[in-house]
């Protein structure tokens, strides 16, 4: 495990798990939300985002946390390991609600509300996004894959220590 993707529904625990991976393995962690969003809640251009992603790909080791469907196939081509969070909707909604008002290292601002559009995106994630994710994973069966369907499965996963 040297080039890792952590993907899945918002609120599922991806970023928390990605931090555990970083802390245990010593691999550098990159949050796609930080590449895409600016602190003033605007976004960078697709070209800027793609350039930042290409810079990460040039490194020998990394963890990339986040979805961004437009670049998923490219990220799958570059990685060796994928962790997919496919948790129940109620868990994802609760995860987002729990982080409202909390400073997080994976976002450039503090969320002060659960925006209705974001709730809608999460509500339909398993219908609109997961089928494509699973189809892309099928095309990239050479990758090591772990799928979590619950927080208990995630918590039970034994992360290997950093290699010497």
């Amino acid at each position: 495990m040297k080039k890792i993707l952590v993907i899945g529904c918002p609120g599922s625990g991806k970023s928390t798990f990605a931090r555990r991976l970083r802390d245990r393995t010593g691999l550098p962690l990159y949050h796609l939300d930080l590449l895409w969003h600016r602190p003033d809640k605007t976004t960078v251009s697709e070209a800027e985002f793609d350039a930042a992603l290409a810079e990460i790909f040039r490194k020998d080791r990394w963890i990339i946390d986040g979805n961004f469907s437009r670049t998923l196939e490219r990220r799958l081509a570059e990685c060796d390991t994928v962790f997919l969070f496919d948790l129940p909707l109620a868990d994802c909604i609760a995860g987002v609600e729990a982080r409202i008002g909390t400073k997080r290292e994976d976002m450039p601002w503090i969320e002060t509300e659960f925006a209705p559009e974001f709730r809608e995106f999460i509500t339909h994630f398993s219908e609109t996004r997961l089928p494509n994710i699973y189809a892309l994973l099928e095309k990239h069966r050479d990758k090591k894959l772990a799928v979590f369907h619950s927080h208990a499965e995630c918590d039970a996963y034994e992360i290997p220590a950093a290699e010497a």
Side-chain angles (χ1 to χ4, degrees), residues 4-145:
I4 302 169
L5 297 184
V6 183
I7 59 177
C9 189
S12 62
K14 296 182 310 295
S15 298
T16 300
F17 181 76
R19 287 189 298 273
R20 277 184 40 218
L21 273 174
R22 175 200 58 205
D23 295 347
R24 179 83 173 140
T25 65
L27 295 170
L29 172 58
Y30 302 93
H31 299 285
L32 293 182
D33 281 334
L34 287 178
L35 296 181
W36 180 246
H37 297 288
R38 293 182 175 130
D40 66 0
K41 298 188 179 182
T42 62
T43 60
V44 300
S45 70
E46 286 185 358
E48 289 173 280
F49 182 83
D50 292 348
L53 200 52
E55 190 64 33
I56 295 168
F57 291 158
R58 284 192 270 284
K59 299 177 186 305
D60 294 344
R61 308 163 64 236
W62 41 257
I63 300 165
I64 298 176
D65 161 44
N67 289 308
F68 291 79
S69 300
R70 184 180 65 80
T71 64
L72 181 56
E73 188 150 21
R74 281 182 37 222
R75 286 180 283 128
L76 285 168
E78 295 286 338
C79 76
D80 57 44
T81 306
V82 179
F83 292 95
L84 171 60
F85 283 70
D86 184 358
L87 273 65
L89 172 61
D91 290 355
C92 298
I93 295 289
V96 172
E97 288 173 341
R99 69 188 190 199
I100 300 296
T102 303
K103 182 167 176 43
R104 300 169 27 220
E105 74 176 63
D106 56 304
M107 281 297 286
W109 63 76
I110 296 174
E111 295 169 303
T112 58
E113 66 176 338
F114 194 166
E117 307 84 34
F118 191 40
R119 182 182 294 271
E120 187 75 10
F121 177 82
I122 293 168
T123 299
H124 296 289
F125 189 89
S126 65
E127 303 155 16
T128 61
R129 303 295 173 147
L130 270 179
N132 184 53
I133 290 171
Y134 277 110
L136 288 172
L137 288 169
E138 185 64 26
K139 287 173 59 177
H140 293 273
R141 291 194 318 217
D142 60 318
K143 310 304 178 183
K144 182 178 177 186
L145 173 64

